[in-house]
């Protein structure tokens, strides 16, 4: 555990983002494969539960040292994250994974825009926006409801960034994320629990649903917590532009959702935008005791 913490505290944020993104969308691809047997909102609920259990299992003493303010902050963060997961799964049940993430990225873009202070960062953000809009060029048509779900998820993603940064500074390791997700799982239980019957009687479905939480939340969001301690919210938000790119790749590789030439153009613009942004000084984070 100490070695893992050391790596997460010193590795380049871009490299950590690649690992986080791959893990998140491998989890999403697993989720899509079980949507025919389990309702998306139920898979999202198990995703949050599975992640909370995994994170708290590797956080000894997670229940100690909490103030009322800390718990409220973790609860707001966990609720925003759980709602983001819930509406994201409702969206990707209707729209391709890559396009869904591109539309969802409007939330991080709004946060990055609010934090941008220089011409170079503004240029990087514009390139990322153009790339994301290109990737997200989905025809509304019969997907109106799916787009609405993704837009709600987008707003929750913005809240995830802002509140996640605060939780990351309060607690070392991933205990804050684990406690937050435990609270979030309770909040979205009315949406996920009523259709959970098939999961409880099938070890395979239970394993797959919980695996989405381990890959997408425990690993993906756990890495985010370390990155949020080291770089400003603005840079974090722009780096998130790599996620639509990764989602397109995973959707093509695992789900057969082949990207078009326009999609590849969008990917290129996003990568250029990430590359040209200003680099802030990276702060080494002390290992948790």
């Amino acid at each position: 555990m100490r070695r893992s913490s050391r790596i997460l505290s010193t590795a380049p944020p871009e490299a950590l983002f690649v690992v986080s993104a791959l893990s998140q969308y491998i989890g999403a691809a697993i989720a899509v494969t079980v949507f025919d047997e389990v309702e998306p909102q139920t898979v999202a609920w198990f995703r949050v539960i599975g992640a909370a259990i995994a994170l708290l299992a590797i956080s000894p003493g997670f229940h100690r040292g909490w103030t009322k303010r800390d718990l409220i902050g973790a609860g707001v963060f966990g609720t925003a994250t759980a709602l983001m997961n819930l509406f994201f799964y409702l969206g990707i049940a209707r729209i391709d994974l890559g396009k869904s993430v591109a539309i969802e990225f409007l939330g991080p873009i709004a946060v990055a825009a609010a934090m941008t202070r220089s011409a170079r960062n503004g240029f990087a953000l514009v390139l990322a926006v153009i790339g994301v809009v290109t990737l997200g060029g989905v025809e509304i048509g019969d997907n109106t409801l799916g787009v609405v779900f993704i837009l709600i998820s987008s707003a929750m993603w913005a809240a995830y960034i802002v509140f996640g940064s605060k939780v990351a500074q309060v607690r070392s390791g991933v205990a804050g994320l684990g406690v937050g997700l435990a609270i979030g799982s309770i909040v979205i239980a009315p949406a996920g629990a009523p259709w959970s019957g098939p999961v409880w009687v099938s070890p395979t479905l239970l394993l797959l649903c919980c695996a989405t939480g381990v890959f997408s939340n425990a690993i993906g969001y756990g890495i985010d917590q370390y990155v949020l301690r080291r770089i400003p919210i603005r840079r974090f938000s722009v780096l998130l532009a790599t996620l639509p790119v990764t989602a397109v790749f995973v959707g093509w590789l695992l789900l057969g959702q082949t990207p078009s030439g326009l999609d590849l153009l969008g990917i290129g613009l996003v990568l250029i935008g990430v590359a040209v942004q200003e680099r802030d000084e990276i702060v080494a984070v002390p290992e948790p005791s």
Side-chain angles (χ1 to χ4, degrees), residues 37-58:
E37 300 179 72
V38 184
E39 292 295 325
Q41 60 268 34
T42 298
V43 181
W45 183 50
F46 278 103
R47 166 180 172 170
V48 178
I49 293 173
I53 292 172
L55 290 166
L56 295 179
I58 62 171

Side-chain angles (χ1 to χ4, degrees), residues 193-247:
W195 294 272
S196 64
V199 181
W200 296 119
V201 298
S202 170
T204 300
L205 287 177
L206 181 60
L207 178 63
L208 289 172
C209 288
C210 289
T212 65
V214 173
F215 279 102
S216 295
N217 290 17
I219 297 175
Y221 297 166
I223 291 174
D224 285 355
Q225 287 286 287
Y226 280 87
V227 176
L228 279 165
R229 295 189 187 104
R230 299 171 55 198
I231 63 175
I233 291 178
R234 190 271 314 157
R235 185 179 174 196
F236 181 87
S237 299
V238 176
L239 280 175
L240 283 173
T242 58
L243 296 187
V245 177
T246 310

